[in-house]
Amino acid sequence: MTVCTGGGHAGGLDHVPDETPFAGQLFLNLAREGRLVLDADAADELLARLERSLGTVLARLEAARRWNGCGHDRDPPLHDYVVDGVFIEQIAPGWLDQAADELPRYIAALRLARRPAAARKTG
């Protein structure tokens, strides 16, 4: 599953997409209809990755909001997630908010789509 249409390096954007790179509601609908089915091992791996991604997005979003807010202290050294969050918000305003809204839909869809290996075997 690809969440961001950007390429090459982890955590970055190679371009700003014209349209949303997310399809969380689609995945959720497919899982509810039983048309998205994953074995437990694959689902668990994807869930762990998406939950880490959501944590990263939320940390960057919070850092960008604090940085752009009033009364912040800019003297301490900046962590990478602060720089990344502020940069992403400058080149793609609203992208982190959208990711924070959409990633939980992917997570919910994968939880619904997760099937034990025995449940997938037929005949």
Side-chain angles (χ1 to χ4, degrees):
M1 172 185 302
T2 303
V3 175
C4 178
T5 58
H9 52 351
L13 296 174
D14 286 343
H15 69 284
V16 178
D18 293 332
E19 306 224 359
T20 179
F22 300 102
Q25 193 60 49
L26 172 63
F27 276 88
L28 197 50
N29 290 343
L30 291 172
R32 285 181 179 146
E33 295 168 3
R35 298 181 348 175
L36 175 64
V37 177
L38 296 165
D39 68 52
D41 291 338
D44 290 345
E45 182 180 336
L46 289 171
L47 281 166
R49 289 180 182 185
L50 283 172
E51 288 168 348
R52 282 192 305 269
S53 295
L54 179 58
T56 299
V57 165
L58 293 174
R60 288 177 177 173
L61 187 57
E62 177 62 23
R65 286 180 178 154
R66 284 185 176 184
W67 182 259
N68 292 323
C70 296
H72 49 75
D73 182 8
R74 293 185 183 187
D75 289 335
L78 297 176
H79 294 284
D80 289 343
Y81 63 87
V82 175
V83 174
D84 288 346
V86 172
F87 180 70
I88 290 170
E89 279 301 298
Q90 288 177 352
I91 65 165
W95 191 86
L96 288 173
D97 284 315
Q98 191 173 6
D101 289 341
E102 286 287 319
L103 287 174
R105 289 186 184 108
Y106 281 96
I107 292 167
L110 289 177
R111 286 190 178 133
L112 287 172
R114 185 184 184 278
R115 301 286 190 275
R120 294 201 49 174
K121 294 179 183 174
T122 57

